[in-house]
Amino acid sequence: MTLAIDGDRLLSEIETLASFSDAEAPAVTRIVFTPTDLKARAWMMAHCEEAGLAVRQDAAGNTFARWEGSDPAAPVVGTGSHIDAIPNAGKYDGVVGVLGGLEAIRGLQRNGFRPKHSIELLIFTSEEPTRFGIGCIGSRLLSGTLSADAARKLKDNDGNALDEVRRAAGFGGELEQVKLPSDYYKAFVELHIEQGPLLERQQISLGIVTKIAAPASLRILIKGSGGHAGGVLMPDRRDALCAAAEMILAIESAARTSGTIDTVATVGICDVFPGAVNSIPSRVRLSVDLRDTDLGRRDRVMSTIETACYSIAMERRVSIDWELVNADAPADCAPSIIDALSESCRKHQTKFLSMVSRAYHDSLFIARIAPVAMLFIPCRNGYSHRPDEYAAPEDIVRGTLVLAETLRVLSE
Ligand code: HGY
Ligand code: MN
Ligand code: MN
């Protein structure tokens, strides 16, 4: 019997999971540890148990659904992604890797396959940086990239500590217990939408990721002096928002002039205080996201940005507090897993494109403790992190089939 994917079931599950949202459809908002996130997790766990998988959650809220192999002592073959979603997102980011991973396992079960190496579906906790300011908290803790102490210091925008929030959400135990032994996984494969336009532009239905770009993020607090919008004359002002505006353009220019298209910088958050039309902004907080496929170049652009911001601050007689939130190395995917994916594509007569992931993913951190690779499917116009994010059913099914084939080969 040939390996097959139940596309109708998978697509309907993607629609159901999208209904767990704090935004009006078609947008999806599902912030980690909110009641909506917990309902989505419960729904996911019930589906994993229905498939006969042994489900557990760790102290950080990472969820593991294991299909026990015939050799329980053998290192595990992992797959999975995340189900938390940034505000006003789409329904495929992360979800395709989680529900596709579950359907890949069910397809192998229907096919009568019995793994030697246990196959484990992971739902990583807090992949998005929305709530605690840093992405991939679950996979950072699993890989030891983030210490338990550093994680405990993380707070959300309302000042709630990660430790309190996770315990209130029902995740007890100590964060020290989250880290996995370095030989836990034999391999880890993540299926994900590309979140870029290359596959669609080149009309290729699968991408095999060879490298995951190096993400960094920082917060810049700009402090000027406020005052009355009518009473303070222009020469006397130290307007924090005007300084921020110049800094934002300097950040953009640093990325545009890095010498390569591979450097990207974004100011995604600009909080203005006091935020009154007739009061001069006295404080502005910028959150900056900076990435590059090359670590050295990313760090050079980071220092160009820092120099520019401090000189603007001097010029405008404002001060800045500079906070580096994270600056991670890129990850090279493992040739053995890339080969397994390429072989599966060939077996299913599917062309693929070898490519870099410009988005970061939990695989970036699992790569610190295991051989990983990623499988991309196209998304329309490359759109992601927006409600019109869209992956075609045939691409989702094809990616899931190739994932299933690869899990079979890696776990036999
Ligand atoms: O921002 C990212 O690259 C990921 O989608 N969290
Ligand atoms: Mn995302
Ligand atoms: Mn994602």
Side-chain angles (χ1 to χ4, degrees), residues 29-86:
T29 296
R30 196 163 46 239
I31 307 303
V32 68
F33 297 139
T34 57
T36 301
D37 174 41
L38 300 182
K39 283 189 204 120
R41 287 164 177 262
W43 180 84
M44 267 310 314
M45 288 195 288
H47 273 57
C48 292
E49 280 157 356
E50 208 180 278
L53 307 182
V55 178
R56 73 177 178 91
Q57 291 187 297
D58 68 14
N62 293 303
T63 304
F64 304 77
R66 177 184 281 226
W67 181 13
E68 208 59 59
S70 57
D71 178 359
V76 175
V77 172
T79 189
S81 193
H82 62 99
I83 62 170
D84 61 321
I86 71 168

Side-chain angles (χ1 to χ4, degrees), residues 67-70 105 108-117 119 408 411-412:
W67 181 13
E68 208 59 59
S70 57
I105 289 171
L108 289 169
Q109 290 173 337
R110 290 193 296 268
N111 193 241
F113 175 68
R114 287 291 165 269
K116 173 184 175 236
H117 296 259
I119 298 178
R408 189 182 63 75
S411 63
E412 61 189 358

Side-chain angles (χ1 to χ4, degrees), residues 250-260 263-265 290 301 305:
I251 290 163
E252 181 194 41
S253 156
R256 282 181 181 282
T257 57
S258 76
T260 158
T263 315
V264 286
L290 170 65
V301 172
I305 289 172

